[in-house]
mmCIF file of all heavy atoms in Angstrom:
data_model
loop_
_atom_site.group_PDB
_atom_site.id
_atom_site.type_symbol
_atom_site.label_atom_id
_atom_site.label_comp_id
_atom_site.label_asym_id
_atom_site.label_seq_id
_atom_site.Cartn_x
_atom_site.Cartn_y
_atom_site.Cartn_z
ATOM 1 N N TYR S 79 18.339 -25.697 4.582
ATOM 2 C CA TYR S 79 16.948 -25.627 4.132
ATOM 3 C C TYR S 79 16.449 -24.204 4.362
ATOM 4 O O TYR S 79 16.382 -23.741 5.499
ATOM 5 C CB TYR S 79 16.069 -26.602 4.922
ATOM 6 C CG TYR S 79 16.373 -28.058 4.677
ATOM 7 C CD1 TYR S 79 17.375 -28.705 5.407
ATOM 8 C CD2 TYR S 79 15.674 -28.780 3.725
ATOM 9 C CE1 TYR S 79 17.658 -30.039 5.182
ATOM 10 C CE2 TYR S 79 15.954 -30.117 3.494
ATOM 11 C CZ TYR S 79 16.946 -30.741 4.224
ATOM 12 O OH TYR S 79 17.233 -32.063 4.005
ATOM 13 N N GLN S 80 16.120 -23.516 3.270
ATOM 14 C CA GLN S 80 15.612 -22.153 3.409
ATOM 15 C C GLN S 80 14.433 -21.858 2.486
ATOM 16 O O GLN S 80 13.806 -20.814 2.606
ATOM 17 C CB GLN S 80 16.717 -21.137 3.157
ATOM 18 C CG GLN S 80 17.298 -21.166 1.765
ATOM 19 C CD GLN S 80 18.461 -20.206 1.608
ATOM 20 O OE1 GLN S 80 19.037 -19.740 2.584
ATOM 21 N NE2 GLN S 80 18.797 -19.895 0.381
ATOM 22 N N ASP S 81 14.100 -22.774 1.590
ATOM 23 C CA ASP S 81 12.961 -22.624 0.683
ATOM 24 C C ASP S 81 11.890 -23.627 1.057
ATOM 25 O O ASP S 81 12.117 -24.841 0.968
ATOM 26 C CB ASP S 81 13.387 -22.830 -0.775
ATOM 27 C CG ASP S 81 14.398 -21.806 -1.234
ATOM 28 O OD1 ASP S 81 14.285 -20.638 -0.822
ATOM 29 O OD2 ASP S 81 15.310 -22.171 -1.992
ATOM 30 N N PHE S 82 10.745 -23.137 1.486
ATOM 31 C CA PHE S 82 9.633 -23.978 1.896
ATOM 32 C C PHE S 82 8.396 -23.568 1.116
ATOM 33 O O PHE S 82 7.995 -22.408 1.169
ATOM 34 C CB PHE S 82 9.369 -23.837 3.403
ATOM 35 C CG PHE S 82 10.467 -24.406 4.255
ATOM 36 C CD1 PHE S 82 11.622 -23.678 4.513
ATOM 37 C CD2 PHE S 82 10.363 -25.676 4.786
ATOM 38 C CE1 PHE S 82 12.639 -24.200 5.279
ATOM 39 C CE2 PHE S 82 11.376 -26.214 5.558
ATOM 40 C CZ PHE S 82 12.520 -25.475 5.805
ATOM 41 N N SER S 83 7.802 -24.496 0.400
ATOM 42 C CA SER S 83 6.606 -24.200 -0.398
ATOM 43 C C SER S 83 5.411 -23.983 0.521
ATOM 44 O O SER S 83 5.103 -24.828 1.361
ATOM 45 C CB SER S 83 6.292 -25.348 -1.353
ATOM 46 O OG SER S 83 7.355 -25.520 -2.265
ATOM 47 N N LEU S 84 4.749 -22.850 0.340
ATOM 48 C CA LEU S 84 3.574 -22.524 1.137
ATOM 49 C C LEU S 84 2.529 -23.627 0.987
ATOM 50 O O LEU S 84 2.155 -23.993 -0.125
ATOM 51 C CB LEU S 84 2.985 -21.191 0.680
ATOM 52 C CG LEU S 84 1.703 -20.753 1.369
ATOM 53 C CD1 LEU S 84 1.965 -20.429 2.827
ATOM 54 C CD2 LEU S 84 1.111 -19.559 0.652
ATOM 55 N N SER S 85 2.065 -24.176 2.120
ATOM 56 C CA SER S 85 1.066 -25.245 2.061
ATOM 57 C C SER S 85 -0.217 -24.901 2.817
ATOM 58 O O SER S 85 -1.261 -25.489 2.552
ATOM 59 C CB SER S 85 1.647 -26.560 2.594
ATOM 60 O OG SER S 85 2.024 -26.416 3.950
ATOM 61 N N ASP S 86 -0.150 -23.961 3.761
ATOM 62 C CA ASP S 86 -1.342 -23.620 4.531
ATOM 63 C C ASP S 86 -1.157 -22.273 5.214
ATOM 64 O O ASP S 86 -0.023 -21.837 5.445
ATOM 65 C CB ASP S 86 -1.617 -24.708 5.583
ATOM 66 C CG ASP S 86 -3.006 -24.612 6.183
ATOM 67 O OD1 ASP S 86 -3.909 -24.022 5.548
ATOM 68 O OD2 ASP S 86 -3.199 -25.127 7.301
ATOM 69 N N ARG S 87 -2.267 -21.659 5.521
ATOM 70 C CA ARG S 87 -2.264 -20.417 6.297
ATOM 71 C C ARG S 87 -3.569 -20.317 7.058
ATOM 72 O O ARG S 87 -4.604 -20.810 6.610
ATOM 73 C CB ARG S 87 -2.060 -19.211 5.405
ATOM 74 C CG ARG S 87 -3.154 -19.038 4.380
ATOM 75 C CD ARG S 87 -2.889 -17.903 3.452
ATOM 76 N NE ARG S 87 -2.760 -18.434 2.102
ATOM 77 C CZ ARG S 87 -2.507 -17.701 1.059
ATOM 78 N NH1 ARG S 87 -2.335 -16.426 1.180
ATOM 79 N NH2 ARG S 87 -2.416 -18.235 -0.126
ATOM 80 N N ALA S 88 -3.517 -19.696 8.224
ATOM 81 C CA ALA S 88 -4.705 -19.567 9.058
ATOM 82 C C ALA S 88 -4.583 -18.300 9.894
ATOM 83 O O ALA S 88 -3.479 -17.836 10.193
ATOM 84 C CB ALA S 88 -4.853 -20.784 9.968
ATOM 85 N N VAL S 89 -5.736 -17.749 10.271
ATOM 86 C CA VAL S 89 -5.799 -16.548 11.108
ATOM 87 C C VAL S 89 -6.853 -16.790 12.184
ATOM 88 O O VAL S 89 -7.911 -17.356 11.905
ATOM 89 C CB VAL S 89 -6.200 -15.304 10.285
ATOM 90 C CG1 VAL S 89 -6.250 -14.060 11.172
ATOM 91 C CG2 VAL S 89 -5.279 -15.083 9.119
ATOM 92 N N LYS S 90 -6.545 -16.354 13.409
ATOM 93 C CA LYS S 90 -7.534 -16.465 14.480
ATOM 94 C C LYS S 90 -7.348 -15.315 15.465
ATOM 95 O O LYS S 90 -6.281 -14.708 15.538
ATOM 96 C CB LYS S 90 -7.415 -17.809 15.200
ATOM 97 C CG LYS S 90 -6.101 -18.010 15.952
ATOM 98 C CD LYS S 90 -6.062 -19.378 16.621
ATOM 99 C CE LYS S 90 -4.753 -19.584 17.368
ATOM 100 N NZ LYS S 90 -4.689 -20.902 18.007
ATOM 101 N N GLU S 91 -8.413 -15.027 16.201
ATOM 102 C CA GLU S 91 -8.309 -14.040 17.271
ATOM 103 C C GLU S 91 -7.452 -14.632 18.372
ATOM 104 O O GLU S 91 -7.433 -15.848 18.577
ATOM 105 C CB GLU S 91 -9.697 -13.679 17.792
ATOM 106 C CG GLU S 91 -10.507 -12.897 16.789
ATOM 107 C CD GLU S 91 -11.845 -12.436 17.351
ATOM 108 O OE1 GLU S 91 -12.079 -12.564 18.579
ATOM 109 O OE2 GLU S 91 -12.657 -11.935 16.561
ATOM 110 N N TRP S 92 -6.722 -13.745 19.082
ATOM 111 C CA TRP S 92 -5.751 -14.235 20.059
ATOM 112 C C TRP S 92 -5.859 -13.452 21.359
ATOM 113 O O TRP S 92 -6.073 -12.241 21.347
ATOM 114 C CB TRP S 92 -4.346 -14.091 19.478
ATOM 115 C CG TRP S 92 -3.263 -14.615 20.374
ATOM 116 C CD1 TRP S 92 -2.357 -13.874 21.077
ATOM 117 C CD2 TRP S 92 -2.985 -15.976 20.658
ATOM 118 N NE1 TRP S 92 -1.523 -14.697 21.780
ATOM 119 C CE2 TRP S 92 -1.885 -16.011 21.537
ATOM 120 C CE3 TRP S 92 -3.543 -17.174 20.261
ATOM 121 C CZ2 TRP S 92 -1.345 -17.178 22.029
ATOM 122 C CZ3 TRP S 92 -2.998 -18.341 20.746
ATOM 123 C CH2 TRP S 92 -1.914 -18.344 21.614
ATOM 124 N N ARG S 93 -5.700 -14.156 22.468
ATOM 125 C CA ARG S 93 -5.671 -13.519 23.790
ATOM 126 C C ARG S 93 -4.739 -14.330 24.672
ATOM 127 O O ARG S 93 -4.831 -15.558 24.712
ATOM 128 C CB ARG S 93 -7.067 -13.486 24.406
ATOM 129 C CG ARG S 93 -7.106 -12.932 25.829
ATOM 130 C CD ARG S 93 -8.474 -13.051 26.463
ATOM 131 N NE ARG S 93 -9.488 -12.393 25.687
ATOM 132 C CZ ARG S 93 -9.868 -11.113 25.847
ATOM 133 N NH1 ARG S 93 -9.314 -10.396 26.785
ATOM 134 N NH2 ARG S 93 -10.812 -10.596 25.095
ATOM 135 N N ASP S 94 -3.809 -13.643 25.330
ATOM 136 C CA ASP S 94 -2.947 -14.288 26.320
ATOM 137 C C ASP S 94 -2.610 -13.266 27.391
ATOM 138 O O ASP S 94 -3.236 -12.195 27.448
ATOM 139 C CB ASP S 94 -1.700 -14.911 25.673
ATOM 140 C CG ASP S 94 -0.770 -13.908 25.021
ATOM 141 O OD1 ASP S 94 -0.944 -12.679 25.229
ATOM 142 O OD2 ASP S 94 0.149 -14.335 24.293
ATOM 143 N N GLU S 95 -1.620 -13.576 28.243
ATOM 144 C CA GLU S 95 -1.275 -12.682 29.355
ATOM 145 C C GLU S 95 -0.724 -11.332 28.882
ATOM 146 O O GLU S 95 -0.731 -10.361 29.625
ATOM 147 C CB GLU S 95 -0.286 -13.356 30.323
ATOM 148 C CG GLU S 95 1.050 -13.729 29.726
ATOM 149 C CD GLU S 95 1.053 -15.055 28.977
ATOM 150 O OE1 GLU S 95 0.035 -15.753 28.917
ATOM 151 O OE2 GLU S 95 2.105 -15.386 28.427
ATOM 152 N N ILE S 96 -0.263 -11.249 27.649
ATOM 153 C CA ILE S 96 0.255 -9.979 27.112
ATOM 154 C C ILE S 96 -0.880 -9.083 26.635
ATOM 155 O O ILE S 96 -0.831 -7.868 26.786
ATOM 156 C CB ILE S 96 1.263 -10.236 25.976
ATOM 157 C CG1 ILE S 96 2.475 -10.989 26.531
ATOM 158 C CG2 ILE S 96 1.687 -8.938 25.310
ATOM 159 C CD1 ILE S 96 3.467 -11.428 25.483
ATOM 160 N N GLY S 97 -1.922 -9.677 26.052
ATOM 161 C CA GLY S 97 -3.046 -8.881 25.582
ATOM 162 C C GLY S 97 -3.857 -9.599 24.517
ATOM 163 O O GLY S 97 -3.763 -10.817 24.350
ATOM 164 N N THR S 98 -4.637 -8.812 23.783
ATOM 165 C CA THR S 98 -5.498 -9.359 22.737
ATOM 166 C C THR S 98 -4.985 -8.922 21.368
ATOM 167 O O THR S 98 -4.259 -7.936 21.242
ATOM 168 C CB THR S 98 -6.951 -8.879 22.896
ATOM 169 O OG1 THR S 98 -6.971 -7.448 22.808
ATOM 170 C CG2 THR S 98 -7.546 -9.319 24.214
ATOM 171 N N GLY S 99 -5.404 -9.668 20.370
ATOM 172 C CA GLY S 99 -4.990 -9.327 19.009
ATOM 173 C C GLY S 99 -5.350 -10.441 18.048
ATOM 174 O O GLY S 99 -6.379 -11.106 18.194
ATOM 175 N N MET S 100 -4.493 -10.655 17.055
ATOM 176 C CA MET S 100 -4.689 -11.684 16.042
ATOM 177 C C MET S 100 -3.433 -12.546 15.969
ATOM 178 O O MET S 100 -2.325 -12.060 16.206
ATOM 179 C CB MET S 100 -4.944 -11.055 14.676
ATOM 180 C CG MET S 100 -6.160 -10.153 14.609
ATOM 181 S SD MET S 100 -7.707 -11.023 14.854
ATOM 182 C CE MET S 100 -7.815 -11.943 13.343
#
Side-chain angles (χ1 to χ4, degrees):
Y79 293 86
Q80 63 184 17
D81 298 323
F82 292 81
S83 298
L84 177 67
S85 62
D86 194 22
R87 62 184 117 181
V89 180
K90 65 181 180 181
E91 291 185 9
W92 182 252
R93 176 186 303 269
D94 64 11
E95 62 277 358
I96 297 174
T98 60
M100 300 294 289

